[in-house]
Amino acid sequence: MKINQNDRIQHIQRLFESNPDVFDFNKPEVLEISAKGSKRVTAVLPLLHHDVYGETVLFINEKIENEDLKEFRYGWELSQRQRKLGVSSRFLTAFDKQHKPEPPYNNISTDPYHHHYEIGNKVLRTETFVQSLEDVITILRDYIISGDPYHSNHRFI
């Protein structure tokens, strides 16, 4: 399927609107979906209140090249609506499709799909079956609905 930035923005908007059991429609000031340059789409989608983490978001960063979704990072993060947080402070977990040729990543056989599994640590990663935004929304739905905390030993392989 060939895509462009506009297609992805509309797709993300539709996913947001069609998942009221995951996303918080009452925080329009948090919602952001936009094109960055000529090849990226980024988004911050507010999630419903989590019993353990409170206000969280789904952070989306996608790179489109030659009409294909070349790379992505889908991260579950603490919201920064009320105060700014550093990358490690807000990071819960993330799913990526990115090649990492530079050390220390070149010795890890999780390219291109991988899961950053340790809360607060965007370096450690393991292989994953997660290959789409829809997969991530399904995973987050379970955490949001149950209110259960994410644990670093949770794997999606």
Side-chain angles (χ1 to χ4, degrees):
M1 176 175 96
K2 299 296 181 187
I3 57 172
N4 62 40
Q5 283 177 308
N6 238 9
D7 294 338
R8 282 310 286 180
I9 289 169
Q10 290 175 9
H11 180 70
I12 292 167
Q13 183 70 40
R14 280 191 303 272
L15 285 173
F16 176 76
E17 292 169 358
S18 64
N19 287 283
D21 57 335
V22 177
F23 297 111
D24 190 342
F25 301 152
N26 296 316
K27 295 190 179 120
E29 70 278 10
V30 176
L31 178 65
E32 176 190 325
I33 306 171
S34 61
K36 299 290 184 192
S38 62
K39 295 183 178 184
R40 289 209 179 269
V41 171
T42 62
V44 177
L45 307 181
L47 296 162
L48 289 171
H49 181 85
H50 188 272
D51 291 346
V52 175
Y53 305 115
E55 192 172 298
T56 61
V57 299
L58 171 57
F59 173 76
I60 298 169
N61 186 358
E62 299 179 334
K63 181 179 181 183
I64 300 166
E65 227 173 73
N66 300 322
E67 298 181 335
D68 291 320
L69 187 55
K70 184 77 171 167
E71 294 183 350
F72 63 72
R73 167 165 280 185
Y74 303 130
W76 186 19
E77 300 181 352
L78 299 176
S79 174
Q80 296 188 80
R81 184 171 67 99
Q82 295 185 349
R83 65 182 175 102
K84 293 290 182 193
L85 298 169
V87 173
S88 295
S89 299
R90 69 179 183 254
F91 180 79
L92 296 173
T93 191
F95 299 90
D96 289 20
K97 176 188 177 190
Q98 295 177 323
H99 292 284
K100 300 280 189 175
E102 71 281 353
Y105 306 106
N106 58 353
N107 295 326
I108 301 173
S109 62
T110 61
D111 284 336
Y113 298 101
H114 51 274
H115 169 221
H116 294 268
Y117 59 87
E118 186 170 299
I119 294 175
N121 187 341
K122 290 175 77 171
V123 175
L124 296 178
R125 65 188 194 178
T126 189
E127 65 187 340
T128 187
F129 73 80
V130 176
Q131 297 185 12
S132 72
L133 180 54
E134 291 79 0
D135 290 342
V136 173
I137 291 171
T138 298
I139 290 166
L140 291 179
R141 174 179 287 111
D142 291 342
Y143 288 106
I144 296 298
I145 289 173
S146 71
D148 291 340
Y150 167 77
H151 293 284
S152 296
N153 64 347
H154 293 180
R155 296 292 193 276
F156 306 94
I157 44 179

